[in-house]
Amino acid sequence: MRPPLEGDDDARFRRGRLVHRLLQTLPDLAPARRAGAARAYLARPVHRLPEGEQAALAAEVLAVLDHPDAAPLFGPGSRAEVPLVGLVGGRAISAQVDRLAIRDSEVLVVDYKTNRPPPERPEEVARLYLGQMAAYRALLSRVYPGRNLRCFLLWTDGPRLMELPPALLDPPPFR
C-alpha cells in the first residue's frame, strides 16, 4: 500500500495537475500516438520530473485510457473540462467537469481522482467528493432532462472506475 501523500504538497498537487492534463488531451489523439505524446509532455523541463517519475505517470494515465471500463468515457460524444454554472440548493456553483460523455439516453459524468490509495467502496468516498458530484448531477439534470445521469469517480491508481449510486448523491448534501 502506498502512502496517501507522497512528499510535499507541491509535488502531490503537481502530480494531480499533470495527470488531469494528460487525461484531458490524450483521448483526442489516435491510440498509437498517446504514449509518445505523454512521454514528450512529461519530459518538458518545466515539470522537473525525474525519468522514473515520468514513466510512472505516463503508465498510470495510459492504463486509465486503455481500461475497458473507461472506453465509453473517452469515446465519441465525450468532452473534457466542461464548464458548469448554476444554482443548487441556493448556492452558486461554478465548476469544470473532468469528463462528460453524452449518449442518447444517458449522460456520464466523470471526475478524476489521483488520491492513493483510493477507497474500496462508494460509501467510503470523502463527503467533499460526494458533494461535488451531487452538485454536478443536480446542474446537469436541468441541462439533460429525461436522461439517466450516471456519476463516476475515476481513480487513476489502479485504475478503478467507481460509479456513485444515486442514493449517495440525492439530494445534494448542502441544502
Side-chain angles (χ1 to χ4, degrees):
M1 179 183 292
R2 290 181 239 178
L5 304 178
E6 291 186 341
D8 63 61
D9 279 349
D10 181 55
R12 182 171 54 102
F13 290 122
R14 181 178 63 218
R15 179 183 171 282
R17 285 190 304 272
L18 291 171
V19 168
H20 273 71
R21 179 68 174 171
L22 289 170
L23 288 172
Q24 175 186 349
T25 57
L26 291 180
D28 294 335
L29 299 177
R33 293 187 53 219
R34 291 175 180 169
R39 284 192 303 272
Y41 178 73
L42 294 170
R44 291 179 179 173
V46 70
H47 300 313
R48 304 180 321 269
L49 294 174
E51 283 186 32
E53 195 172 338
Q54 292 172 32
L57 279 175
E60 183 174 326
V61 170
L62 293 170
V64 168
L65 294 175
D66 292 339
H67 198 283
D69 291 344
L73 308 174
F74 297 104
S78 69
R79 294 178 42 211
E81 299 300 319
V82 178
L84 280 182
V85 178
L87 292 174
V88 176
R91 282 190 153 172
I93 305 292
S94 176
Q96 292 272 121
V97 174
D98 287 338
R99 197 88 192 169
L100 189 66
I102 302 162
R103 303 167 117 183
D104 291 337
S105 62
E106 67 183 357
V107 175
L108 309 177
V109 185
V110 184
D111 197 66
Y112 310 137
K113 298 298 181 197
T114 57
N115 305 47
R116 300 197 273 182
E120 293 292 323
R121 302 175 314 117
E123 296 77 17
E124 297 169 355
V125 170
R127 192 173 194 294
L128 177 68
Y129 295 162
L130 295 176
Q132 173 189 11
M133 296 306 287
Y136 291 176
R137 188 170 190 268
L139 288 170
L140 288 166
S141 69
R142 296 179 200 142
V143 178
Y144 299 101
R147 293 195 197 179
N148 183 29
L149 283 161
R150 297 174 61 199
C151 296
F152 298 87
L153 294 177
L154 181 56
W155 304 97
T156 62
D157 187 41
R160 184 173 339 136
L161 183 64
M162 178 185 286
E163 185 165 4
L164 299 173
L168 288 178
L169 305 176
D170 288 333
F174 41 77
R175 283 209 162 164

